[in-house]
Amino acid sequence: MSVPIYPGRGTGRTSLVTGGAGFVGSHLVEHLLDLGDEVVVLDDLSTGSARNLAGVADNPRLTMIHGSILNPTTVGQAMRSCDRVFHLAAAVGVKLIVEQPLRGLRINIHGTENVLTAAIEHQASVLLVSTSEVYGKNTADRLREDSDRVLGDPLLSRWTYAGAKGIDEAFAKAYCDQEGLDVSIVRLFNTVGPRQTGRYGMVLPNLVGQALRNQPLTVFGDGRQTRCFSAVEDVVPAMVAIERDPRARGEAYNLGGAREISILDLAHEIIRTLDSRSTVELVPYERAYAPGFEDMRRRVPDNTKAHALVGYEPHTSLTSTIMRVAADLLSRERLGSDAMPLAGAATFRGVV
Ligand SMILES: NC(=O)c1ccc[n+]([C@@H]2O[C@H](COP(=O)([O-])OP(=O)(O)OC[C@H]3O[C@@H](n4cnc5c(N)ncnc54)[C@H](O)[C@@H]3O)[C@@H](O)[C@H]2O)c1
């Protein structure tokens, strides 16, 4: 699998990755180590896992700190020797946010402000990792970075993630304009790949896990809601390239996939790819979450801005991502660390 090469690789810098033991964070840590960075990871292991970094745990340029971004002292200590910060630590996942909105708000707002203020104190640059959720229910054909936000009732916990991430972005911009913080922002659109867990409501690993078990694939609503999935190996190098580009200061960039697909079609594609005997079961949102749950019907990125800046182009196929996610779930099962056993799993072509 080819990885996009951006000009000027090889940094020799010291990077702090908050949330570095998580899904996206662990891929980023590996990439930064490959580039020659010293890397410090700060993670409370709430949804992440040290096992995600098992492949690089022995690297002498990696330091792992078990702690929370909610503790300003810990954040300051983690940042002491760093000249740049990739801020990914967050309460993530619709299920987690709906179940624990207060925790999500605290981590995603107070935790982020701790990281931004420490970065000013330590004169470190920041890449703030935000989300396409900030666009809310805007179903525009292609969402540009300056597209309107269309959010539901703020009293619905479902919108607290989008609300908090929007405030994070506003904080970042204000610290940039008023305090001189060197910060840029990326908005990820359904990033997928190995090590993403389905435990907190992420659709692709959930459906792949069900297909491997030959269980019905549970698709919420009528399944006609669409998303553009992007592969983590396409997104991570672009994050690093954006962080290091001075033109990105104070700006936000979409990083999404190129292919729009409904969740129903995704489920069928997973079944086909994995040669599974599963069927598809439509589950009303009210049963999956709570009465009144609102979802986005459509979320399509316009990636032009990131393409113009760093040449970002998503090129990994969804089929290859499905196969890699399946292989990852099966290997975790072999290691006995997956939440749901895959016994009786479908065999599928090309992996295992
Ligand atoms: N994966 C996606 O599709 C996607 C889409 C949009 C945005 N994002 C953003 O990307 C970032 C990474 O998400 P991910 O998908 O890898 O999820 P993840 O849950 O795997 O990663 C989040 C990490 O943050 C850590 N964390 C949580 N609270 C913390 C705290 N208080 N202190 C320290 N660490 C803490 C978790 O243990 C975990 O390792 C998040 O900021 C998320 O909002 C992800």
Side-chain angles (χ1 to χ4, degrees), residues 223-255:
R224 294 188 197 287
Q225 63 277 25
T226 65
R227 297 293 183 268
C228 295
F229 294 91
S230 51
V232 69
E233 64 265 35
D234 291 343
V235 164
V236 158
M239 286 166 59
V240 177
I242 288 170
E243 191 285 331
R244 64 190 302 187
D245 194 314
R247 293 170 296 173
R249 188 181 161 126
E251 297 284 329
Y253 295 85
N254 290 338
L255 292 176

Side-chain angles (χ1 to χ4, degrees), residues 22-24 43-44 46-48 67-69 88-90 130 161 165 188 191:
F23 155 54
V24 180
D43 201 299
D44 71 353
S46 50
T47 55
S68 174
I69 56 167
L88 287 82
S130 184
Y161 179 58
K165 286 283 186 173
L188 306 188
T191 307

Side-chain angles (χ1 to χ4, degrees), residues 27-173:
H27 288 273
L28 174 64
V29 168
E30 288 173 346
H31 184 68
L32 291 170
L33 289 169
D34 278 350
L35 292 177
D37 275 27
E38 301 273 334
V39 179
V40 178
V41 167
L42 173 61
D43 201 299
D44 71 353
L45 303 182
S46 50
T47 55
S49 158
R51 219 177 65 74
N52 287 338
L53 292 169
V56 289
D58 291 339
N59 191 313
R61 284 184 283 110
L62 175 66
T63 305
M64 281 158 60
I65 300 173
H66 184 196
S68 174
I69 56 167
L70 285 173
N71 183 334
T73 310
T74 306
V75 174
Q77 280 166 353
M79 211 175 288
R80 217 166 23 204
S81 59
C82 298
D83 55 6
R84 63 174 170 180
V85 182
F86 294 87
H87 177 44
L88 287 82
V92 183
V94 173
K95 187 165 178 283
L96 198 67
I97 297 292
V98 167
E99 286 170 5
Q100 301 179 41
L102 195 52
R103 177 178 172 275
L105 284 167
R106 284 189 178 129
I107 294 171
N108 295 350
I109 297 178
H110 300 319
T112 293
E113 200 186 7
N114 287 341
V115 171
L116 297 177
T117 51
I120 291 171
E121 192 184 325
H122 293 270
Q123 297 184 321
S125 58
V126 179
L127 183 83
L128 177 79
V129 179
S130 184
T131 170
S132 60
E133 288 264 332
V134 296
Y135 298 111
K137 295 186 276 188
N138 188 334
T139 55
D141 197 28
R142 306 188 79 76
L143 290 162
R144 289 163 38 108
E145 287 78 356
D146 57 2
S147 293
D148 285 340
R149 307 183 63 200
V150 184
L151 300 183
D153 181 350
L155 298 185
L156 286 177
S157 59
R158 192 259 172 275
W159 296 110
T160 57
Y161 179 58
K165 286 283 186 173
I167 288 172
D168 287 352
E169 291 197 23
F171 258 138
K173 181 81 171 101

